[in-house]
Amino acid sequence: MKKLNPEQLPIRIIGDKVLRKVAEPIKTIDDELLDFLQDLAFTMYETDGVGLAAPQVGRSIRAFVVDPFWYREGHEKNPIFFINPKFHRFEGEEGGDEGCLSVPGIFEKVLRAEELTVEATNEKGVTFTMEAEGFLARVIQHENDHLDGILFIDKIPKLRRMIHAKRLRELKSTTNEQGINLGK
């Protein structure tokens, strides 16, 4: 079912408890999930992201969407959905700058596998295997980390994290009693 008017979902910010949970596997692909996935992709595009995981919008389920090249000239929007991803291969290592919609205003170099093989289910319920390298591999790894409660800042050296301590405290200070970051 194609949702007529996808909606932009609020992005959860560091300090929100959902970002630190290990997400639950998805058991059924139904209309509710398909509507959510459309909203997830719409939110990614509206916030100028190249990937977005379900926990980043408050749903602790194992799903994310990526489209790392949509903003480049000559490219069209082509979201790739990953449901219950499983990795089979990591090779090489390279550093690259990363940022995150859930950790606004912070960018750091993160070491990631240069190449990978991942198996997942798409929004049509079809299992697929993808080999990825470079930027696409980086985006997939970044979004998958969200499914395990890991943020990119967890992967940077402690000294570099200390440089951002004040900003991280500011972001976390807007979290309410339920663990929802209000982003004020």
Side-chain angles (χ1 to χ4, degrees):
M1 174 179 275
K2 193 85 165 154
K3 195 172 183 181
L4 294 178
N5 295 309
E7 61 183 275
Q8 185 172 339
L9 304 169
I11 302 289
R12 301 296 179 97
I13 305 297
I14 188 170
D16 193 313
K17 291 179 183 177
V18 73
L19 294 173
R20 294 305 192 170
K21 291 181 181 177
V22 174
E24 295 293 322
I26 294 170
K27 294 178 173 67
T28 307
I29 298 176
D30 56 16
D31 286 347
E32 187 274 328
L33 178 66
L34 294 175
D35 285 350
F36 170 74
L37 292 176
Q38 287 183 50
D39 292 342
L40 189 67
F42 182 77
T43 302
M44 175 185 68
Y45 293 124
E46 289 296 303
T47 56
D48 293 329
V50 294
L52 192 62
Q56 291 182 271
V57 294
R59 296 276 307 268
S60 189
I61 58 173
R62 297 193 78 76
F64 62 84
V65 60
V66 302
D67 190 355
F69 307 111
W70 71 271
Y71 60 92
R72 293 182 181 173
E73 190 174 329
H75 288 263
E76 295 181 16
K77 292 179 180 175
N78 183 30
I80 306 167
F81 295 96
F82 292 77
I83 299 169
N84 298 328
K86 293 181 183 127
F87 290 83
H88 297 294
R89 177 183 68 94
F90 292 102
E91 281 189 27
E93 186 177 72
E94 68 178 358
D97 288 336
E98 291 188 24
C100 182
L101 296 171
S102 293
V103 189
I106 296 178
F107 299 90
E108 277 293 338
K109 187 175 193 170
V110 177
L111 292 176
R112 300 263 185 202
E114 190 174 7
E115 298 177 15
L116 61 81
T117 303
V118 61
E119 179 182 321
T121 302
N122 68 17
E123 74 281 12
K124 296 177 178 122
V126 176
T127 300
F128 67 96
T129 300
M130 174 185 282
E131 294 195 7
E133 61 183 30
F135 188 56
L136 175 58
R138 174 171 299 283
V139 173
I140 290 169
Q141 290 170 84
H142 178 108
E143 298 312 326
N144 190 75
D145 277 351
H146 282 294
L147 306 185
D148 293 324
I150 299 168
L151 299 173
F152 85 98
I153 57 165
D154 301 332
K155 295 186 171 276
I156 64 175
K158 190 172 187 174
L159 186 58
R160 296 294 310 162
R161 212 171 319 135
M162 288 172 55
I163 291 170
H164 300 291
K166 181 180 180 200
R167 175 71 177 143
L168 292 170
R169 277 193 307 277
E170 288 170 357
L171 290 168
K172 290 176 182 177
S173 72
T174 60
T175 302
N176 70 15
E177 303 81 41
Q178 290 79 37
I180 297 172
N181 193 300
L182 305 173
K184 293 181 182 176

